[in-house]
């Protein structure tokens, strides 16, 4: 997800999206451990999405 898309979501939607994205990352990581993914860059992209969402949630909590 892009940062602009993340900023438009509500806090509840962000928390839900964070859970979904973390689960997706765990699934991808497990699949990659069993047999290499065709596109291992997916792991990096999903990990960065998790970080972007978590950062936005933290930023909102501090304001």
């Amino acid at each position: 997800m892009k940062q602009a898309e993340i900023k438009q979501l509500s806090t509840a939607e962000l928390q839900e999206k964070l859970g979904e994205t973390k689960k997706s990352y765990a699934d991808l990581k497990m699949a990659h451990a069993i047999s290499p993914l065709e596109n291992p860059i997916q792991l990096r992209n999903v990990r960065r999405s998790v970080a972007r969402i978590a950062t936005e949630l933290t930023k909102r909590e501090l304001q």
Side-chain angles (χ1 to χ4, degrees):
M1 290 186 80
K2 300 286 183 186
Q3 191 65 27
E5 296 171 356
I6 292 172
K7 286 183 179 182
Q8 294 175 353
L9 297 175
S10 70
T11 304
E13 290 173 330
L14 280 177
Q15 289 173 341
E16 181 181 327
K17 195 74 168 165
L18 182 63
E20 291 172 7
T21 311
K22 280 185 175 182
K23 184 183 181 324
S24 172
Y25 179 66
D27 292 344
L28 275 174
K29 202 169 173 185
M30 182 63 72
H32 186 62
I34 294 170
S35 66
L37 293 175
E38 235 179 82
N39 184 9
I41 302 301
Q42 287 175 314
L43 288 170
R44 178 173 58 191
N45 293 338
V46 174
R47 186 175 63 240
R48 287 181 179 176
S49 290
V50 169
R52 283 187 186 107
I53 295 168
T55 300
E56 182 65 25
L57 281 171
T58 303
K59 186 171 116 178
R60 289 183 186 191
E61 287 174 6
L62 294 175
Q63 288 181 349

